[in-house]
Amino acid sequence: MENNVLLTPHVRKASILVWPDDTLKQISQPINGVIDERVQHLVKTMISILVAAQNGVGLSAIQIGVPLRVFIIKTMKGFMVVADPDRKSTRLNSS
């Protein structure tokens, strides 16, 4: 995982990208099970964006311009975070 991929100004002022934005065509990178402060910050940012959207049930990192294999799903109990879904998925519980 590149150090700068999570710390771009785009993430700090993120909005949800929609098709046909070229960013959505990028191949996202795996995080390889590395759940560091940057990934935690990304997840918190994604949750904030999804809550602010008020009508979403899920969000992937690429939808806010971060090409990493991470997505969140809104559940009845909070949020489920899934990383590297094509591998043995890493799930993080986040409320």
Side-chain angles (χ1 to χ4, degrees):
M1 173 174 48
E2 294 179 20
N3 289 336
N4 63 354
V5 83
L6 298 176
L7 303 174
T8 62
H10 185 74
V11 175
R12 292 188 200 109
K13 297 190 245 180
S15 59
I16 300 172
L17 303 176
V18 295
W19 190 260
D21 190 293
D22 286 339
T23 302
L24 299 173
K25 298 174 187 175
Q26 292 182 25
I27 296 174
S28 294
Q29 303 169 14
I31 64 164
N32 297 316
V34 177
I35 311 299
D36 59 12
E37 291 175 8
R38 294 169 300 170
V39 173
Q40 292 173 8
H41 173 73
L42 171 65
V43 169
K44 288 178 185 177
T45 300
M46 291 171 64
I47 290 171
S48 296
I49 292 167
L50 189 58
V51 168
Q54 296 183 349
N55 61 351
V57 295
L59 184 67
S60 65
I62 195 66
Q63 288 178 282
I64 61 167
V66 179
L68 293 175
R69 293 180 185 159
V70 177
F71 67 90
I72 62 171
I73 301 169
K74 190 175 187 180
T75 70
M76 298 293 280
K77 295 181 180 182
F79 293 91
M80 180 173 67
V81 181
V82 181
D84 295 339
D86 59 335
R87 301 170 183 255
K88 183 179 178 184
S89 291
T90 303
R91 288 185 176 190
L92 307 169
N93 290 325
S94 183
S95 304

